[in-house]
Amino acid sequence: MKHLRRTLPLLVAASLTVTACGGAPRETAAAADGGSLTWAVETQPVTFNPHLWAQNKARLLVWNQFDALLSRGEDGSFAPWLARSWEVSADGRTYTFHLREGVTFHDGEKFDAAAVKANLDRFRVPGYNPTVASIQLSALERVEVVSPAELKVHLKRPDALFLDFLASPYGGQVSPKSLRTAKNLKAGGPDLVGTGPFILDRYVQGQEVHYRRNPAYAWAPPTAAHQGPAHLAEVTYRFLPESAVRVGALTSGQAEVIEGVPATEVDLVKKDPDLAFQTALNSGSAYTYYFNTGHAPFDDKRVREAFREAVDLDAVLASVYRGQATRAWSVVGKAGPFYDASLERTYGGDTAKANALLDQAGWTTRDAQGFRTRDGKRLTVRTVSAAPFVRDRREILAQAIQAQVKQNAGIDFQIRIVDQGSAQQALDRDEYEVFENSRGDTDAGAALNLILARQAPINRTHFSDASIDTWLTRASRVSDVKTRTALYAKVQRAVVAENAIAFPIYVPSDQLAARRSVSGLGFDPVSGTPKSAYDVRIAP
């Protein structure tokens, strides 16, 4: 396969390089224990600001530059990080955090309770991140600095999502000074700094981002494989959206690590004695087609069910992903604790049923192209996707589904992949019938609240049910896992089985391939996404 061995073109472009002031002195690759690493990634971040993080594939970059108050253990439990310890009041409304001392941001600013308060208060600025403000921080009342090393957070009510927020990229601690002075707070970049093991010092849009080691780093979480500074002196992430180019970079030696190994090349990678392959399912919500019930034709449940029944999803996934994809049966992914397995094999793939349902709904005639019509109007449904969020060959997947619904049921499924602004405009104008989404939240409850509640920030289904809202609210206010699991099971059944407002497609996963000389790679035990480069090293 010659295309896998082709070399990458030399990356030449003008770049704006900003070195964080007042931080650690620059190191050379030769001076570091682990040298220099090149890592090819599929998706370029929309933003480097952890507070505004929205792409699951960007998590590994966030944790290079930023640290959070809490980390997660192998069993999913919360563990210390920048917070040494914490207590929760009996009523679940007050959290007291005892912070590490001696921690500094890359710009030389001191990390303390005032810095944590500044980060939390930033989310209260109107328009900064209204989604997080209305979901993960909806219960936040006030933040109290007790001393430089002690902080109290007061909530209006108990909130099961609060600690998860503090351990997520959203909880990444940003220097208050850089929050005030960054040239582009929305986009982030070299002048928006954290306390992490690497310092972002160069970003070439569309091409690469470069990090150098923070030699002062001495506050890794206990879940890390080592303590002290990172092994690597520097790491460069190259943005290579074409899967064949990524694999070619690895096999030709131009990259030591790649993520997003395409299903078509997994066997090739596994058979290469010089390469190692790893994969893990992501947490959060499954990749799902959500139906817009606010207007025709998906305001009719029969049409929603017909679309699902018209697709032989097992065959589609086998064709597109060569047996590497895990089918989804619920909007919650299998990797999390709240997945409802009772939904498995309860719907989909019955062509006769699909056609009977459409006949019942009045779509009984066909036009010259074979598409169903009613009252002279074609049965058309549209989806609009933003290019930066298209991953895992989803455009190929959509084309396969498009072919099936046309052939099996006469549905005209139209697919558009556009820039982020155009996609948002189409959503705001209600010019879509299918909304594609998956969320990498480590607590699936955050994703469910974000999409399914009546007033949810991205309730693109326009479907509302008082019972669903009640179950979501109750699940967010209790910490008992069994109680939350039972409540979220009710939500999943209502959404998938009873009302058919969603068509779960597959459970997202991440893949890593690397030269055998590279060690320390792995996946976050809760999110299932690749870890940062902190524990990575290259054998001499």
Side-chain angles (χ1 to χ4, degrees):
M1 300 178 70
K2 292 183 179 180
H3 68 282
L4 296 179
R5 297 282 174 181
R6 69 186 181 187
T7 58
L8 294 170
L10 181 65
L11 297 176
V12 285
S15 66
L16 179 63
T17 302
V18 182
T19 303
C21 302
R26 178 179 293 276
E27 289 191 322
T28 64
D33 294 337
S36 174
L37 180 109
T38 298
W39 187 327
V41 295
E42 179 180 8
T43 306
Q44 178 177 225
V46 172
T47 175
F48 288 92
N49 183 338
H51 295 170
L52 306 179
W53 163 79
Q55 297 158 288
N56 213 30
K57 280 184 171 285
R59 288 180 79 107
L60 72 154
L61 301 181
V62 170
W63 296 133
N64 280 334
Q65 190 181 4
F66 300 95
D67 299 320
L69 290 189
L70 307 180
S71 61
R72 302 294 287 270
E74 291 291 332
D75 61 356
S77 62
F78 295 100
W81 197 348
L82 293 182
R84 294 184 292 105
S85 62
W86 65 96
E87 299 96 41
V88 186
S89 63
D91 64 2
R93 293 177 53 191
T94 301
Y95 288 75
T96 302
F97 296 95
H98 306 282
L99 307 179
R100 282 181 182 257
E101 298 181 73
V103 177
T104 55
F105 289 99
H106 300 156
D107 59 5
E109 293 291 299
K110 181 180 179 181
F111 168 78
D112 56 15
V116 179
K117 175 176 167 56
N119 276 259
L120 287 170
D121 286 347
R122 175 61 59 169
F123 284 96
R124 311 181 102 179
V125 175
Y128 182 62
N129 190 333
T131 297
V132 170
S134 64
I135 302 295
Q136 290 94 331
L137 292 180
S138 62
L140 181 62
E141 183 175 71
R142 61 188 176 91
V143 183
E144 175 188 357
V145 175
V146 179
S147 72
E150 184 175 334
L151 182 86
K152 287 185 182 291
V153 178
H154 301 274
L155 305 181
K156 302 170 188 175
R157 57 183 181 274
D159 190 343
L161 299 177
F162 181 60
L163 289 182
D164 181 74
F165 161 82
L166 294 179
S168 76
Y170 294 127
Q173 295 298 295
V174 182
S175 162
K177 178 181 178 181
S178 69
L179 281 175
R180 297 190 303 268
T181 63
K183 295 178 180 178
N184 189 334
L185 184 58
K186 183 177 181 180
D191 59 350
L192 192 70
V193 304
T195 62
F198 291 94
I199 299 168
L200 193 166
D201 63 359
R202 185 176 72 249
Y203 168 51
V204 185
Q205 187 173 11
Q207 295 188 24
E208 66 181 28
V209 61
H210 180 269
Y211 296 87
R212 59 184 173 89
R213 186 172 68 165
N214 175 9
Y217 194 71
W219 40 85
T223 52
H226 80 287
Q227 296 293 309
H231 298 303
L232 297 169
E234 59 181 350
V235 56
T236 301
Y237 294 88
R238 287 185 175 176
F239 309 127
L240 303 178
E242 293 185 22
S243 57
V245 176
R246 284 196 305 281
V247 177
L250 180 66
T251 57
S252 65
Q254 295 186 61
E256 289 79 31
V257 182
I258 66 171
E259 66 83 27
V261 182
T264 53
E265 314 297 355
V266 168
D267 286 342
L268 176 74
V269 170
K270 287 182 175 179
K271 291 176 182 177
D272 192 323
D274 295 326
L275 303 178
F277 176 80
Q278 303 177 56
T279 186
L281 292 177
N282 294 167
S283 63
S285 61
Y287 178 63
T288 299
Y289 282 6
Y290 292 92
F291 299 131
N292 183 354
T293 68
H295 61 250
F298 286 145
D299 57 343
D300 189 327
K301 178 185 174 183
R302 294 169 297 187
V303 181
R304 303 195 296 267
E305 290 181 323
F307 189 98
R308 298 194 313 192
E309 296 299 335
V311 181
D312 183 348
L313 190 54
D314 289 327
V316 167
L317 295 177
S319 173
V320 175
Y321 298 111
R322 307 291 179 87
Q324 300 298 320
T326 298
R327 177 170 181 171
W329 291 97
S330 174
V331 293
V332 173
K334 285 187 175 182
F338 304 129
Y339 175 67
D340 182 11
S342 72
L343 292 168
E344 294 182 3
R345 292 173 291 278
T346 58
Y347 63 90
D350 188 335
T351 300
K353 182 178 179 180
N355 284 283
L357 286 165
L358 292 177
D359 287 343
Q360 294 169 20
W363 297 93
T364 55
T365 55
R366 304 242 182 181
D367 62 18
Q369 287 74 44
F371 293 113
R372 284 182 176 263
T373 60
R374 186 180 67 183
D375 300 328
K377 184 177 181 180
R378 178 181 287 184
L379 179 51
T380 298
V381 296
R382 302 162 294 175
T383 185
V384 182
S385 300
F389 292 90
V390 177
R391 51 173 282 194
D392 302 343
R393 292 166 57 86
R394 288 176 179 175
E395 72 284 10
I396 307 301
L397 172 65
Q399 291 167 13
I401 292 175
Q402 178 187 56
Q404 288 237 333
V405 297
K406 176 184 180 181
Q407 177 180 337
N408 295 337
I411 299 172
D412 179 20
F413 181 33
Q414 299 182 357
I415 306 159
R416 290 177 59 210
I417 298 176
V418 297
D419 62 87
Q420 196 171 358
S422 297
Q424 187 62 52
Q425 185 179 70
L427 293 172
D428 291 343
R429 292 178 175 178
D430 203 29
E431 296 172 348
Y432 67 97
E433 285 72 43
V434 172
F435 171 61
E436 306 169 37
N437 186 268
S438 65
R439 293 279 306 180
D441 303 280
T442 46
D443 189 311
L448 298 179
N449 277 280
L450 183 69
I451 297 172
L452 300 176
R454 184 173 64 89
Q455 298 293 341
I458 57 171
N459 182 345
R460 306 297 187 190
T461 68
H462 301 301
F463 180 85
S464 64
D465 183 296
S467 295
I468 291 176
D469 290 348
T470 298
W471 297 328
L472 289 173
T473 298
R474 287 176 56 194
S476 296
R477 295 184 181 184
V478 295
S479 58
D480 179 69
V481 174
K482 288 185 178 180
T483 301
R484 297 184 74 204
T485 299
L487 290 166
Y488 288 140
K490 292 181 178 181
V491 172
Q492 292 169 74
R493 292 168 198 159
V495 168
V496 177
E498 297 163 18
N499 296 289
I501 64 170
F503 183 17
I505 307 294
Y506 74 92
V507 183
S509 63
D510 274 294
Q511 310 83 30
L512 290 172
R515 310 298 300 181
R516 291 283 180 184
S517 58
V518 178
S519 62
L521 292 168
F523 297 91
D524 181 275
V526 180
S527 70
T529 54
K531 293 181 179 179
S532 74
Y534 173 65
D535 284 322
V536 176
R537 66 194 317 165
I538 305 176

